[in-house]
């Protein structure tokens, strides 16, 4: 099948500051949460690789932007590293050397015809604020973040017209404080929900601040909702999926799009003593400042069933009291990453947003395929023949465009990632990029087969997908 891609449909790629830039020029005391985790638990990062060197983007960003231009990329999203943006987090003294680096990235992208999209926090909360105020538990940290955002808008808002407050705002506290699976391994469900709330409130505050001073751009947030499917059509399984959606998707969708929390979430939080106790003034700010647009990160489906066992009163409350994860037998897998491949999530998420919320603009800000040992797929010219990535993108983009055809307000697709980059714990084990990064001292770059194919999408605006209607 040949599918036309709308002329104004964004075809871009993404990364983050901490996953690419490395520590060159980083000053004492500028550690982020990620930096501190790496220093405290380096052993959990695959073969010890982490943010210290990453892809050496600090030194190589002009080369990378030249490659973006060669691929004809239309948009590129990255982040400002909050922890490196200041030398004093209380007085908000900007690190002018790092700020100039951000200027350089933005200017070079614009010169190359690649529109910059900037996220203000991609897991880069300063360690100082974690150590001193317990991070997003504190309203003082929230105030400092709002002021940081305003400084960023003043410096870069003349050139950057698409902003995001957070990337996947639920992730850090879920991994660290709900599941306690990552450093610092503190189990505290009430803190988990409080961080969720403070990040939603911070987003509303920053939206309010942005629109006071900027009149020709827009600001949103990048969420990572999981399209959740019940194991069966039973009332119990359907209810389990509904509760997962409430705790992990609607907890941000509702305040950011509708301007209010659902009464159902409020009551279940009160029942389990994890309510976040908002003030009337804070709820008014959330109500009056919904996001302008959304980024949606999508990789795999979430499948659940009704829980088969009673929740122990000796175990801290977890939303799993209401659901149990379910692995679909025979599911298609990315065996490198351990994730199910189900491209239909793109269409289903499109319809979920269309059917449940106002027609807010949104785009896929992350989707991609991680594959280990990609060097095994090099041809005689040293080019990685990543046909599996081309197939993965094609199938997901096909279902996304189906959604657009059926009335979705989706504006585009951004691949994770532009280059191979460091991921939490995974490090460089699984590669995601259109551009290969060698783990030599120079972090040498080369284009993969998928890079040339991706360029054809941008240029020709045509997607060719295999017709699978015939039974085998």
């Amino acid at each position: 099948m040949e599918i036309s891609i709308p002329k104004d449909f964004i075809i871009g790629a993404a990364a983050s500051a901490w996953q690419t830039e490395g520590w060159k020029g980083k000053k004492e005391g500028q550690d982020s949460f990620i930096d501190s985790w790496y220093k405290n638990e380096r052993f959990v990062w695959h073969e010890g690789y982490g943010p210290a060197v990453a892809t050496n983007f600090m030194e190589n960003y002009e080369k990378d932007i030249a490659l973006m231009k060669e691929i004809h990329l239309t948009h590129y999203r990255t982040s400002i590293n909050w922890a490196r943006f200041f030398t004093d987090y209380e007085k908000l003294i900007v690190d002018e050397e790092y700020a100039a680096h951000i200027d350089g990235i933005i200017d070079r992208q614009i010169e190359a015809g690649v529109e910059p999209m900037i996220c203000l926090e991609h897991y880069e909360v300063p360690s100082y604020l974690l150590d001193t105020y317990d991070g997003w538990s504190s309203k003082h940290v929230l105030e400092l973040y709002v002021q940081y955002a305003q400084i960023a808008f003043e410096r870069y808002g003349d050139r950057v017209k698409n902003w995001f407050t957070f990337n996947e705002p639920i992730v850090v506290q879920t991994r660290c404080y709900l599941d306690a699976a990552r450093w610092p391994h503190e189990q505290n469900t009430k803190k988990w929900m409080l961080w969720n709330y403070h990040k939603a409130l911070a987003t509303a505050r920053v939206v309010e601040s942005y629109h006071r001073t900027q009149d020709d751009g827009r600001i949103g947030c990048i969420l990572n909702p999981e399209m959740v499917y019940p194991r069966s059509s039973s009332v119990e399984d359907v209810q389990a999926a509904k509760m997962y959606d409430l705790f992990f998707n609607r907890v941000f969708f509702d305040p950011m799009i509708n301007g209010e929390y659902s009464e159902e979430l409020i009551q279940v939080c009160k029942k389990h003593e994890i309510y976040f106790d908002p003030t009337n003034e804070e709820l008014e700010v959330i109500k009056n400042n919904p996001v302008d647009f959304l980024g949606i990160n999508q990789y795999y489906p979430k499948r659940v069933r009704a829980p088969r066992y009673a929740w122990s009163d000796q175990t801290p409350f977890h939303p799993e009291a209401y659901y149990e994860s379910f692995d679909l037998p025979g599911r298609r897998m990315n065996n490198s990453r351990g994730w199910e491949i189900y491209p239909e999530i793109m269409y289903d998420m499109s319809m979920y947003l269309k059917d449940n919320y106002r027609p807010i603009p949104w785009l896929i800000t992350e989707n991609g395929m991680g594959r280990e040992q990609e060097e095994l797929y090099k041809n005689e010219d040293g080019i990685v023949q990543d046909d599996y990535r081309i197939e993965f993108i094609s199938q997901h983009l096909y279902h996304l465009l189906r959604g657009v055809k059926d009335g979705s307000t989706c504006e585009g697709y951004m691949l994770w990632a532009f280059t191979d980059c460091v991921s939490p714990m995974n490090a460089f084990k699984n590669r995601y990029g259109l551009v290969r990064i060698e783990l030599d001292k120079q972090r040498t770059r080369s284009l993969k087969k998928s890079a040339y194919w991706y360029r054809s999408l941008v240029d020709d605006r045509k997607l060719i997908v295999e017709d699978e209607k015939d039974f085998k």
Side-chain angles (χ1 to χ4, degrees):
M1 291 183 290
E2 182 178 290
I3 296 112
S4 295
I5 300 173
K7 184 178 179 181
D8 57 352
F9 192 81
I10 292 169
I11 301 177
S16 74
W18 80 263
Q19 289 170 283
T20 55
E21 65 189 14
W23 288 353
K24 182 178 176 60
K26 185 162 76 78
K27 299 172 178 62
E28 190 70 27
Q30 287 186 319
D31 282 349
S32 66
F33 156 71
I34 288 285
D35 297 334
S36 293
W37 176 24
Y38 179 63
K39 288 180 177 180
N40 279 276
E41 286 190 344
R42 185 176 174 183
F43 60 89
V44 306
W45 295 69
H46 183 68
E47 296 185 351
Y49 288 100
V53 179
T55 72
N56 269 342
F57 186 69
M58 291 291 290
E59 300 155 87
N60 289 312
Y61 75 87
E62 292 191 357
K63 295 179 183 177
D64 282 350
I65 293 171
L67 291 173
M68 294 177 201
K69 184 176 181 179
E70 183 176 348
I71 297 172
H72 301 173
L73 213 62
T74 65
H75 293 68
Y76 177 70
R77 170 178 70 90
T78 189
S79 60
I80 297 173
N81 192 327
W82 181 9
R84 296 190 64 172
F85 194 64
F86 296 105
T87 56
D88 188 311
Y89 304 109
E90 304 280 6
K91 297 178 181 178
L92 300 174
I93 298 173
V94 173
D95 184 328
E96 295 296 343
E97 183 180 11
Y98 183 78
H101 166 68
I102 300 299
D103 269 314
I105 293 171
I106 293 169
D107 290 343
R108 297 294 88 74
Q109 279 189 230
I110 292 171
E111 290 170 9
V114 182
E115 183 167 344
M117 307 178 86
I118 297 293
C119 184
L120 292 166
E121 204 263 41
H122 194 125
Y123 315 159
E124 295 136 346
V125 59
S127 288
Y128 167 84
L129 299 180
L130 288 166
D131 297 340
T132 309
Y133 301 108
D134 200 24
W136 285 102
S137 301
S138 165
K139 286 202 169 65
H140 179 61
V141 169
L142 193 158
E143 294 297 332
L144 292 174
Y145 172 78
V146 173
Q147 293 175 61
Y148 150 53
Q150 190 56 49
I151 292 169
F153 299 151
E154 290 168 0
R155 285 180 174 249
Y156 310 118
D158 60 326
R159 290 156 288 163
V160 178
K161 303 304 176 183
N162 290 281
W163 292 87
F164 301 103
T165 54
F166 297 95
N167 177 80
E168 301 182 348
I170 201 170
V171 164
V172 170
Q173 60 267 26
T174 298
R175 302 290 182 263
C176 298
Y177 304 122
L178 182 64
D179 298 335
R182 293 181 180 175
W183 181 86
H185 306 285
E186 174 190 344
Q187 206 297 315
N188 189 329
T189 308
K190 187 172 177 65
K191 179 190 283 193
W192 171 71
M193 186 55 73
L194 182 63
W195 280 40
N196 289 338
Y197 170 64
H198 279 166
K199 289 181 180 181
L201 176 59
T203 293
R205 288 283 309 279
V206 169
V207 169
E208 181 180 47
S209 174
Y210 182 79
H211 288 301
R212 271 201 305 265
T213 59
Q214 307 290 320
D215 57 11
D216 62 344
R218 59 182 183 170
I219 184 162
C221 186
I222 297 167
L223 302 179
N224 59 312
E226 292 174 279
M227 194 63 224
V228 57
Y229 301 94
R231 177 193 64 140
S232 75
S233 59
S234 74
V235 172
E236 294 81 4
D237 284 346
V238 170
Q239 178 64 17
K242 179 181 176 183
M243 293 305 289
Y244 187 92
D245 184 50
L246 181 70
F247 274 111
F248 293 100
N249 298 338
R250 292 179 57 195
V251 67
F252 283 106
F253 275 145
D254 288 356
M256 289 186 179
I257 302 176
N258 292 342
E260 59 185 13
Y261 287 93
S262 73
E263 187 61 29
E264 186 176 8
L265 181 67
I266 290 170
Q267 292 306 316
V268 76
C269 285
K270 288 180 176 178
K271 175 182 177 180
H272 296 289
E273 300 181 344
I274 62 168
Y275 191 47
F276 37 88
D277 299 314
T279 67
N280 289 334
E281 291 78 12
E282 290 168 349
L283 292 178
E284 195 68 15
V285 170
I286 289 173
K287 180 179 180 180
N288 293 329
N289 296 282
V291 294
D292 300 328
F293 73 130
L294 280 174
I296 302 292
N297 295 350
Q298 286 287 283
Y299 288 97
Y300 50 82
K302 178 69 179 181
R303 301 186 186 275
V304 299
R305 62 181 297 169
R308 290 171 290 178
Y309 311 103
W311 196 258
S312 170
D313 60 8
Q314 300 300 307
T315 302
F317 171 71
H318 188 292
E320 282 182 345
Y322 290 97
Y323 69 87
E324 184 179 320
S325 295
F326 171 73
D327 291 332
L328 182 69
R331 65 198 181 281
R332 181 182 169 199
M333 293 290 293
N334 175 358
N335 293 320
S336 289
R337 198 67 176 94
W339 289 347
E340 181 181 348
I341 297 175
Y342 189 68
E344 287 88 341
I345 56 173
M346 294 300 209
Y347 181 82
D348 292 343
M349 180 56 68
S350 298
M351 295 302 102
Y352 172 94
L353 289 169
K354 178 177 180 286
D355 294 342
N356 291 290
Y357 294 99
R358 62 182 172 87
I360 184 172
W362 63 277
L363 69 158
I364 290 294
T365 35
E366 285 185 27
N367 172 253
M369 175 178 235
R371 178 60 69 95
E372 60 183 316
Q373 296 182 306
E374 279 203 324
E375 60 275 7
L376 299 179
Y377 297 90
K378 286 184 177 180
N379 66 9
E380 61 274 11
D381 297 319
I383 299 173
V384 174
Q385 303 297 293
D386 53 341
D387 295 280
Y388 43 84
R389 179 165 293 109
I390 294 170
E391 180 184 16
F392 181 96
I393 298 170
S394 295
Q395 292 176 353
H396 284 76
L397 186 54
Y398 164 68
H399 287 287
L400 187 64
L401 292 170
R402 278 182 60 215
V404 171
K405 183 179 179 182
D406 287 350
S408 165
T409 52
C410 179
E411 298 181 339
Y413 175 93
M414 302 187 78
L415 180 70
W416 186 270
F418 176 64
T419 66
D420 294 337
C421 59
V422 170
S423 299
M425 298 171 66
N426 167 68
F428 281 104
K429 179 184 178 184
N430 290 291
R431 305 304 191 96
Y432 284 88
L434 298 171
V435 178
R436 178 171 172 81
I437 301 287
E438 303 295 343
L439 298 183
D440 53 20
K441 187 175 180 179
Q442 294 76 29
R443 294 295 197 261
T444 305
R445 276 94 162 123
S446 62
L447 298 183
K448 302 177 189 177
K449 180 179 179 180
S450 59
Y452 301 101
W453 172 81
Y454 209 64
R455 182 172 65 191
S456 74
L457 287 183
V458 177
D459 292 350
D460 301 335
R461 315 304 292 185
K462 292 178 181 177
L463 174 67
I464 310 296
V465 290
E466 182 181 348
D467 193 332
E468 295 184 355
K469 289 182 180 178
D470 293 335
F471 292 102
K472 296 179 181 179

